[in-house]
Amino acid sequence: MGRFRVRVTATIGIAVAAVAIGAAPGWAGTRTEPGDEASAAAAVVVRAAQADDLGAEAAARVAAMTVREQAASVVMGHVSTTDAATLADYMTQTGIGGFILMGENIPSDETGLRALTAALTPDAAFPPLIAVDQEGGDVSRLGWDALPAAGTLKNEPPAATQDAFAGRGALVQRSGIGVNFGIVADVTDDPSSFIYGRALGTTPQGGADRVSAAVAGEGDQVLSTLKHFPGHGAAAGDSHTVIPATGMTQQEWVVSAAVPFQAGIDAGAPLLMFGHLAYTAVDPAPASLSAVWHRIAREDLGFEGVSITDDLGMLEASGDPAYADPVANAVSAIAAGNDMVLAVIYTTAETAPRMVDGIVAAVESGAIPGDRLEEAATRVAALRLALAAGGRGLMPCAACAPVG
């Protein structure tokens, strides 16, 4: 499968490396018929799509969508099954832009998982963002990943992290998965913290060194994601059951919890996951629903990629009545600046469609400006087109040669 590197900006610029693949949108070339392999080397050329070409295609696709199609494209859903037909039907009927694989979606081997991810991809020219939490160690969906994880890596040189995530990225890619929610940029030296065993560093600089190494390791194999912005280490409590809070000021954050995120952004991570935690001195709202934190990520840290929420079901699980409505949470998240909303806990096959309905209604009422939804949908479309240009979902073209 082709290797690629993406960088999504406000103008949706994408850089894609030349690869040897079969026909994909935005790629120029010719193919030989069976039996013509002898002249293939001379007859076949493949040129990488230009950044402007893919950016223009993303914008054009979104402009041609209805509001409902745009709303569906910014939802990453989930249903608990390994039945390929059920998953294929779910993706086709909902039209959603992504799917997260949890443990109950993972077959016993890589071959079975490839068949499942193929079923989740109704259109290889515009594949959904199929994601997985493959951190390794405590959070590992792929049972055959025996590579070192944070518990070990935080005590090893950064090069060990790069090597481990190079291998991990290959495992994820070979399974047909385009996005790894695998790089924990939170930092803490407190062993009692729920995130301690998953964090790549116990100091800001140690975390930064290993986070940037992890992004480099995953490289072009998979779309790296940094989580959980702006950082769980400073806020006590597990966001699966409460909304952790801290009184840390933004000035204190800049020289501590922010450092690993800045390093990962500078290293080119194309996705940033916003956590359900509150830095009350900055904004009393959870970061996932905070326009302030989205502005900080974009303007202060220079993040230009796709922002996505952590599982919105966690807000419901907190028990706070303000977050009891999953549809309202999705609407608030998009309005705040997220480009994609993620839903796992408490979800059924009807959850994603209900969120789509809610986002459409919010656009029609003005609660979400139409250009905010279009911006989000275009950023997501750009990543999906980058996956297509990288050959995701396509049969390899043995006769194709890259053009230098």
Side-chain angles (χ1 to χ4, degrees):
M1 189 168 291
R3 291 171 63 82
F4 61 89
R5 187 67 171 162
V6 301
R7 178 172 177 264
V8 184
T9 70
T11 56
I12 318 302
I14 306 172
V16 184
V19 295
I21 61 168
W27 291 74
T30 60
R31 293 192 64 130
T32 57
E33 296 300 320
D36 292 343
E37 287 84 357
S39 60
V44 178
V45 293
V46 178
R47 290 183 175 86
Q50 297 300 306
D52 290 346
D53 294 338
L54 288 179
E57 183 174 352
R61 276 184 176 268
V62 172
M65 292 178 181
T66 65
V67 172
R68 180 166 298 278
E69 289 169 336
Q70 291 178 3
S73 76
V74 301
V75 174
M76 179 175 284
H78 171 77
V79 287
S80 299
T81 182
T82 55
D83 183 75
T86 299
L87 291 171
D89 186 60
Y90 174 74
M91 296 301 288
T92 300
Q93 289 196 10
T94 62
I96 58 176
F99 187 93
I100 182 170
L101 294 159
M102 301 298 287
E104 61 268 25
N105 299 121
I106 307 297
S108 60
D109 58 35
E110 191 176 271
T111 301
L113 183 53
R114 280 199 297 270
L116 188 146
T117 54
L120 285 165
T121 307
D123 181 4
F126 196 49
L129 298 181
I130 301 174
V132 69
D133 291 308
Q134 192 57 32
E135 301 171 15
D138 292 345
V139 179
S140 185
R141 311 301 183 207
L142 309 185
W144 48 93
D145 179 356
L147 294 159
T152 298
L153 296 173
K154 70 178 65 184
N155 299 311
E156 299 290 335
T161 297
Q162 182 164 342
D163 289 345
F165 276 83
R168 187 158 288 124
L171 291 178
V172 172
Q173 183 194 54
R174 283 201 329 235
S175 297
I177 300 168
V179 177
N180 189 19
F181 294 153
I183 301 178
V184 178
D186 307 297
V187 58
T188 180
D189 61 359
D190 180 3
S192 69
S193 169
F194 94 99
I195 205 69
Y196 178 82
R198 299 164 56 192
L200 285 168
T202 56
T203 65
Q205 191 57 53
D209 292 343
R210 288 162 183 81
V211 165
S212 58
V215 174
E218 289 189 332
D220 300 337
Q221 301 177 104
V222 67
L223 298 173
S224 297
T225 307
L226 309 175
K227 60 184 187 184
H228 309 80
F229 187 80
H232 263 302
D238 184 342
S239 58
H240 292 87
T241 55
V242 298
I243 298 175
T246 176
M248 177 180 284
T249 67
Q250 186 175 346
Q251 292 72 25
E252 293 169 327
W253 172 80
V254 165
V255 295
S256 56
V259 177
F261 287 100
Q262 183 71 76
I265 290 168
D266 291 345
L271 291 104
L272 181 63
M273 178 178 284
F274 280 67
H276 306 308
L277 57 152
Y279 282 64
T280 56
V282 180
D283 189 342
S288 54
L289 306 182
S290 168
V292 174
W293 278 112
H294 280 82
R295 179 193 60 75
I296 291 170
R298 300 280 181 198
E299 297 179 9
D300 296 355
L301 272 61
F303 180 65
E304 297 176 326
V306 167
S307 59
I308 185 168
T309 68
D310 203 347
D311 173 17
L312 289 177
M314 293 161 63
L315 286 174
E316 292 179 74
S318 73
D320 188 328
Y323 309 116
D325 183 346
V327 175
N329 292 337
V331 168
S332 296
I334 296 296
N338 287 284
D339 301 313
M340 203 165 208
V341 293
L342 169 65
V344 182
I345 301 175
Y346 307 129
T347 59
T348 68
E350 300 305 316
T351 301
R354 287 180 56 217
M355 288 182 169
V356 173
D357 289 343
I359 293 169
V360 171
V363 171
E364 291 174 344
S365 72
I368 295 177
D371 57 358
R372 166 79 276 270
L373 177 59
E374 187 170 346
E375 174 188 55
T378 304
R379 286 199 183 110
V380 172
L383 280 191
R384 294 172 68 179
L385 289 170
L387 289 175
R392 298 296 174 125
L394 299 174
M395 293 299 291
C397 173
C400 295
V403 175

